[in-house]
Amino acid sequence: MSQLRSKVITLYKHLQYLGRDYPGLNGPQKFRKQVHDAFMKNKDEQDPKKIVALLAQGRYLAKEVEALYSLKKYRTVKQRYND
């Protein structure tokens, strides 16, 4: 169970770190609050299978956010050097 706990904490910290560059006027604060609320909603979960499923969902979200950032960087570079 402690291995799952450390994985959950690591994922939480990673998502909070990713949230610092989230686009939008209140994007970073909103994203971090949504992540915090999602983790607090499931804080009492005891079933290891459910925890593993939630971790997979969180990792998927992290990959999606990273892809969003990559696309944003690509569009910026393309816009700057396309002229």
Side-chain angles (χ1 to χ4, degrees):
M1 195 63 149
S2 66
Q3 291 176 346
L4 285 177
R5 178 175 165 76
S6 64
K7 287 182 181 181
V8 168
I9 292 170
T10 302
L11 178 63
Y12 179 78
K13 288 181 179 180
H14 182 63
L15 287 171
Q16 290 292 339
Y17 176 78
L18 287 175
R20 70 191 172 111
D21 293 329
Y22 202 76
L25 183 61
N26 291 328
Q29 293 86 5
K30 184 178 178 183
F31 181 81
R32 287 179 166 194
K33 180 160 177 33
Q34 287 176 342
V35 167
H36 179 77
D37 291 345
F39 275 80
M40 287 297 111
K41 183 179 86 172
N42 295 306
K43 72 178 181 177
D44 295 325
E45 188 62 52
Q46 296 293 327
D47 183 21
K49 291 180 182 179
K50 177 77 171 170
I51 294 171
V52 169
L54 290 168
L55 282 170
Q57 186 178 3
R59 284 191 209 106
Y60 176 78
L61 175 65
K63 286 182 182 180
E64 288 293 317
V65 172
E66 289 169 354
L68 173 72
Y69 293 160
S70 296
L71 184 60
K72 181 180 174 186
K73 288 178 185 177
Y74 170 77
R75 286 180 177 167
T76 302
V77 169
K78 185 177 177 183
Q79 186 179 31
R80 285 184 184 163
Y81 295 105
N82 199 16
D83 292 335

